[in-house]
Amino acid sequence: MQKLGEFKLPQFFNYPPYFTLQPVKETREKQVQLWKELILDYCRTQKIFIIGLEEEFPLFSNPVIERSLSHEGREAFLSALVSEGRAEWMDKGHRKCLILWHRIQDWADIILQYVKDNGLEDSVVTIEEIRSGTESQGTELYGIDRTILNRALKLLEQKGKLVIFKGTSADDEGVKFSV
Amino acid sequence: MREYRQELAGSFPRFECSNGSRNAGSFVKECKAKEMVMLAQKMRQKLLSGSNSQTNAGDEEMGSKEEMQDWLLSVGIISPVTKESAGALYHQQLSRQNWRNNQPIDVYCLFNRARGTELISPDDLLQACSLWEKFDVPVVLGKFDSGVMVIQKKSHSDEQVFAKIKIIATKPETLLAGISASDAAMTLGVAPAMAKEHLLSAESKGLLCRDVSPDGFRFYINLFPEIDHHDMHLLKDHGVYAS
């Protein structure tokens, strides 16, 4: 089975037309669906949060069959993810895309679970601890993208589950939970 | 070829005869021999200069050369070129007819050449096409999405061509490398332009899909419908894509 690092690639990854943006509507729809799923799957397992369209993204090329997705193709498939709320463009020029293999709401739920699992219901923790502390090791929170974490925390703040406060530096930013 | 036709058309007024008629038959009977010889010599020169063409450009040139030979024959002018190649000429025409797969423009030219003096207009031909079915003529006028129109034998229906394409596209070598328009042209026995139209047509019906790369423009059998997105690693019939 062909792999990209530890990631098991699907068989159709070796099918050349997969890398050409298909013009026929029905064919295109299927192609888009497959690419959306593959991108989310790959990003989740590899913990990738941002895709730069002009950078080398291993999923967009297959050296075995010597095919690469064109820029147009990359933008088309990422835009499809954006339309579905599973990604966001980070700039107007569509050069960087934030991948939400968990939606922000899902991340918020994961944080609440982390709080419960570690008895942090009334505690104070730094934001950096949430993403790199010992308690988060082995969980999906470990290594989470800071932008996404902040968005999820803001969402929880709006719901009254916590309060965010600034410290003396970025490393000191913290939250007090009231779960 | 267009230039030759324009030139042919353009040269007619110079030979307008006393009774005002311009057709070739009248030329032979009523125009001065001298003018006819001048015209014939001019045509011969064109024919002879066309004989050194290369293959690709030569096809176009060959067409007009044969047309002119035919025109000369029809007005009774025999030139050494015509006399020598008369037998080969018609054989070439026939094979060219098959090779050219009968786009209306070709049929129109051939028909007019055959009729000689009483020419038909392109509209006449198109109208005639619509009457074929009525009179049970085993020929149909097909139209591609691109707008290209083609005259085909009834046996050359879309389904038959698609069936052929499907067979080609599911061969092991095609599953691996796809098929280009020129590959298809050879296998289907049609001109590359025509083969491309067939491939594009098959694509639009969901039978094929395209692969555009530095290697060129190729088509593969469409496997997208067969890929189960819930079970992306399941081995299916076309397991050649596994690695």
Side-chain angles (χ1 to χ4, degrees), chain B residues 32-51:
Chain B
K32 293 174 190 171
K34 186 177 150 198
E35 284 157 312
M36 287 310 297
V37 167
M38 265 170 60
L39 177 64
Q41 279 177 345
K42 194 165 148 202
M43 294 303 172
R44 265 188 64 217
Q45 229 153 30
K46 283 235 164 79
L47 288 171
L48 292 170
S49 68
S51 60

Side-chain angles (χ1 to χ4, degrees), chain B residues 45-91:
Chain B
Q45 229 153 30
K46 283 235 164 79
L47 288 171
L48 292 170
S49 68
S51 60
N52 292 327
S53 311
Q54 296 305 311
T55 34
N56 285 335
D59 283 332
E60 264 303 81
E61 242 122 296
M62 275 298 278
S64 44
K65 176 177 167 178
E66 283 154 9
E67 292 210 355
M68 292 214 311
Q69 286 174 340
D70 227 358
W71 184 85
L72 289 172
L73 269 175
S74 70
V75 298
I77 295 167
I78 317 269
S79 78
V81 177
T82 318
K83 210 171 184 180
E84 281 164 40
S85 56
L89 173 71
Y90 290 102
H91 182 264

Side-chain angles (χ1 to χ4, degrees), chain A residues 59-81:
Chain A
L59 200 64
F60 291 154
S61 296
N62 184 351
V64 171
I65 57 168
E66 291 174 335
R67 293 288 183 274
S68 265
L69 268 186
S70 65
H71 190 275
E72 200 197 347
R74 297 169 193 216
E75 198 174 343
F77 302 133
L78 289 172
S79 292
L81 278 173

Side-chain angles (χ1 to χ4, degrees), chain A residues 11 32 47-48 66 68 83 102 139-140 160 167:
Chain A
Q11 280 178 37
V32 166
K47 290 218 167 174
I48 290 168
E66 291 174 335
S68 265
S83 301
H102 279 313
T139 73
E140 285 187 302

Side-chain angles (χ1 to χ4, degrees), chain B residues 104 129 132 139-144 147-152 158 194:
Chain B
C129 294
W132 284 333
V139 157
V140 291
L141 183 70
K143 189 171 181 176
F144 286 102
V148 169
M149 291 200 285
V150 107
I151 295 167
Q152 297 170 299
D158 272 355
M194 183 72 180

Side-chain angles (χ1 to χ4, degrees), chain B residues 152-189:
Chain B
Q152 297 170 299
K153 289 187 284 197
K154 240 183 192 166
S155 60
H156 252 187
S157 65
D158 272 355
E159 294 78 42
Q160 285 200 310
V161 176
F162 287 168
K164 274 191 198 168
I165 289 175
K166 193 171 181 186
I167 291 172
I168 301 166
T170 46
K171 285 198 175 134
E173 54 270 23
T174 321
L175 284 176
L176 275 177
I179 186 167
S180 67
S182 32
D183 297 335
M186 288 194 286
T187 324
L188 295 172

